[in-house]
Amino acid sequence: MKSPVVYAFLGLLSAASAQLQQVQNFGPNSSGARMFVYAPSGLPANPAIVVGVHYCGGTAQGYYNGSPYKKLADQKKFVVIYPESPNSGGCWDVSSRATLKRDGGANSNSIANMVKYAIDKYKADASKVFVIGESSGGMMTNILAAAYPDLFAAAIVYSGVAAGCFFTDSVAGWNGSCSGGQVNSTPQRWAQWVYDAYPGYNDKRPRMQIYHGSADTTIAPANYNYEIQQWSTVFGYDPKKPQSEKTNTPDNGYTTQLFGNYLTGVYAQGVGHGVPAHGAEDMKFFGL
Ligand SMILES: *[C@@H]1O[C@H](CO)[C@@H](O)[C@H](O)[C@H]1NC(C)=O
Ligand SMILES: *[C@@H]1O[C@H](CO)[C@@H](O)[C@H](O)[C@H]1NC(C)=O
């Protein structure tokens, strides 16, 4: 038995430090994805939300511990949603017909429902909802941007693939021609995956930032070009002609290419799979 004094002390501790919490009832969840939230103390009346989507084999707790967003949430006072994959192997379903469609009932749909729940619960500023993901989570980030353009103001993809590139017509499949960079598609075909995710949508879309490493042997570097072709076509930019290019930015060996206000690419020379998160840069891109 703990004494009342110990209980009071534990109560004080938990009041002082917010923690990662699982949310059970966030709305329809036919794909079984799990929702975890980190809400730091001292949130403003209408906080921003950042969705942090983990890599294959990841968990919400692992991404919370291993990525910079918890610490940044403490500093800048925003809510972080950490969705967790229900699929064996911990990869996201970025390959089924259902996940590539708005309201298709698959993983992307569950994550969108988490976002809607959190906007309501935290009275969040709906114009400041952002998504970021690494690897499988980066693939999901492109899909969320395509299928739920009305939910997100900006999205950052680390070492992912274009929306639709991993299509296998099965749940959480592995598309070897995509990972190997052997998909021959036109820029228009890449853009079509975005249009098909939410047919008829013709309004504002999230600003996109795409990171990829030139030495990625898991998700071939050609995927950088596929993503740039996809989004530059959607936004009406020329995928071959960035408006500006900065070498050694934000790091040595990284080249930042600005295709227009809605699309920035960052190609990391010599960096392998899983370009490390650039938390401070991410905050700048989101305007947080
Ligand atoms: C979603 O499904 C997962 C796995 O079955 C479960 O843990 C979670 O509670 C569900 N959430 C909702 C809102 O149904
Ligand atoms: C892999 O995805 C591409 C589109 O990126 C598609 O054309 C191809 O059929 C897919 N492969 C499999 C085995 O489904």
Side-chain angles (χ1 to χ4, degrees):
M1 278 288 286
K2 293 191 180 79
S3 75
V5 176
V6 169
Y7 276 113
F9 178 68
L10 289 173
L12 270 178
L13 265 185
S14 68
S17 60
Q19 283 171 358
L20 186 66
Q21 308 258 354
Q22 184 167 7
V23 176
Q24 290 295 346
N25 293 302
F26 58 83
N29 174 36
S30 51
S31 83
R34 291 174 286 272
M35 176 180 187
F36 292 79
V37 168
Y38 179 68
S41 59
L43 281 177
N46 304 111
I49 295 178
V50 173
V51 184
V53 195
H54 67 69
Y55 35 83
C56 268
T59 58
Q61 184 76 51
Y63 203 51
Y64 167 86
N65 292 338
S67 67
Y69 309 110
K70 183 253 180 226
K71 209 168 158 200
L72 290 163
D74 285 336
Q75 286 164 13
K76 297 180 183 285
K77 305 297 181 197
F78 55 80
V79 173
V80 192
I81 301 174
Y82 296 93
E84 187 171 271
S85 164
N87 308 314
S88 74
C91 297
W92 290 100
D93 174 14
V94 290
S95 56
S96 72
R97 253 168 236 277
T99 207
L100 290 164
K101 275 245 178 299
R102 182 181 181 85
D103 298 337
N107 286 171
S108 57
N109 199 166
S110 290
I111 297 176
N113 290 339
M114 295 175 197
V115 172
K116 290 173 189 167
Y117 167 89
I119 290 174
D120 191 53
K121 155 106 184 174
Y122 296 101
K123 300 184 174 43
D125 180 343
S127 71
K128 291 192 181 148
V129 179
F130 307 101
V131 57
I132 199 158
E134 178 82 56
S135 190
S136 180
M139 303 179 192
M140 177 55 83
T141 297
N142 274 321
I143 293 172
L144 289 168
Y148 300 93
D150 49 336
L151 276 187
F152 300 102
I156 301 178
V157 176
Y158 284 98
S159 308
V161 304
C165 189
F166 240 60
F167 177 73
T168 57
D169 207 6
S170 60
V171 173
W174 185 272
N175 184 314
S177 53
C178 179
S179 65
Q182 284 137 3
V183 182
N184 284 318
S185 280
T186 59
Q188 284 68 30
R189 179 64 192 98
W190 286 121
Q192 193 62 42
W193 289 106
V194 174
Y195 306 140
D196 289 348
Y198 187 2
Y201 183 78
N202 209 2
D203 211 329
K204 203 166 183 297
R205 294 182 186 274
R207 289 185 304 116
M208 303 297 301
Q209 184 164 52
I210 309 293
Y211 281 86
H212 213 94
S214 76
D216 193 328
T217 53
T218 307
I219 303 297
N223 283 285
Y224 177 75
N225 300 325
Y226 303 160
E227 293 169 274
I228 295 299
Q229 288 177 28
Q230 179 162 73
W231 292 110
S232 55
T233 305
V234 168
F235 292 125
Y237 306 142
D238 184 343
K240 293 212 184 80
K241 283 208 190 79
Q243 291 178 4
S244 70
E245 195 165 279
K246 287 187 190 149
T247 54
N248 297 323
T249 308
D251 289 350
N252 243 349
Y254 286 54
T255 299
T256 294
Q257 303 186 301
L258 181 75
F259 291 88
N261 289 342
Y262 278 80
L263 179 62
T264 305
V266 186
Y267 196 62
Q269 198 60 44
V271 177
H273 189 58
V275 172
H278 284 61
E281 292 298 318
D282 298 340
M283 296 300 106
K284 277 193 231 163
F285 189 72
F286 289 157
L288 289 173

